[in-house]
Amino acid sequence: STGDWSSDVCSSDLNNMNKVYWGLREQAFLITPQAIGIYLESNEQVFAAVVDIPVGGKTVTMFCSFDGTVSLYYSNGKCDIGLGEKENIRKATMSFLISSGQCLKFMDLYENNIIIQKSMQIFLFSKNGIKTQKICIDSLKTKEEKFLNFMVQNILSEIRTNQ
C-alpha cells in the first residue's frame, strides 16, 4: 500500500528526518502475520520487530519479520533492504524473533511509535499486539534489557560483517 505517511508526523520532526524514512518506518508498523504468510501458534510468538537505534544524533531503524525480511532505514532517507538474503544475518534475525518472545511479559504496552532520542527502542509484534522496550545502552537495568540489546547487537554485527 502507498500513501503519504508523513501526514501523521509533526512538521518539526520532518525537518530533521527524511520523508522516505518516515514512510518506510510507518509502513513497518502496519505489518500483520497474514501479510507475511504465517500462522501464530502462541501469544509469545514474535513475528516482526522494529528497532530504533540512535547513531550520532540520527536514527537508524531496523525492521525484521519472520519471512526473512531484514532492512535498515536511515533518518537521512538511505535504505539497506534485502539484508535477510544473507544467511548469517537471517539466522541472527530469526534467533532474535524466536527468542525475544520470552521478554514480552516484561515489556510495556504499545502507546505510540514516537522516536526517543538517545535511547534504543524495540517494538515487538505478536498475536496480542505490539509491546515496546526502551533501552538505555549506558545503563542496562534488567536481564531482559540486556538480552534484547545482546540480540539486536548480534544482528547489527552480522550486518556489518556481511556488507
Side-chain angles (χ1 to χ4, degrees):
S1 76
T2 59
D4 182 10
W5 300 103
S6 62
S7 62
D8 294 335
V9 179
C10 65
S11 59
S12 62
D13 289 339
L14 281 177
N15 292 337
N16 299 323
M17 294 187 184
N18 183 286
K19 287 184 182 186
V20 171
Y21 167 78
W22 280 114
L24 290 168
R25 186 176 179 277
E26 290 298 312
Q27 197 166 13
F29 279 89
L30 301 176
I31 190 81
T32 64
Q34 296 79 17
I36 58 173
I38 66 161
Y39 171 77
L40 299 176
E41 296 176 6
S42 77
N43 294 338
E44 288 78 41
Q45 192 174 351
V46 174
F47 67 89
V50 171
V51 182
D52 292 327
I53 306 158
V55 179
K58 301 197 180 311
T59 301
V60 177
T61 296
M62 179 178 68
F63 170 73
C64 55
S65 62
F66 213 79
D67 66 354
T69 299
V70 183
S71 302
L72 293 177
Y73 309 139
Y74 301 83
S75 58
N76 65 3
K78 180 180 179 256
C79 304
D80 287 331
I81 58 172
L83 298 170
E85 293 173 14
K86 299 214 163 111
E87 186 179 354
N88 289 345
I89 296 172
R90 184 183 176 97
K91 281 182 180 177
T93 302
M94 297 312 269
S95 179
F96 167 62
L97 291 173
I98 291 167
S99 302
S100 61
Q102 64 187 309
C103 297
L104 287 170
K105 62 181 167 258
F106 301 103
M107 296 174 71
D108 296 324
L109 289 173
Y110 172 79
E111 292 180 23
N112 61 58
N113 61 12
I114 293 172
I115 291 173
I116 301 172
Q117 296 294 335
K118 299 181 182 170
S119 292
M120 182 189 304
Q121 189 163 0
I122 299 175
F123 299 90
L124 298 180
F125 297 67
S126 71
K127 197 179 217 177
N128 289 337
I130 304 171
K131 292 288 207 79
T132 185
Q133 179 69 52
K134 182 176 102 172
I135 296 180
C136 297
I137 304 298
D138 300 336
S139 61
L140 297 171
K141 292 180 175 60
T142 67
K143 66 180 181 184
E144 291 79 22
E145 286 179 37
K146 291 174 185 168
F147 177 74
L148 289 169
N149 180 59
F150 171 78
M151 297 300 285
V152 169
Q153 296 303 329
N154 191 35
I155 297 169
L156 296 175
S157 176
E158 288 299 336
I159 291 171
R160 281 190 294 274
T161 301
N162 287 280
Q163 279 196 321

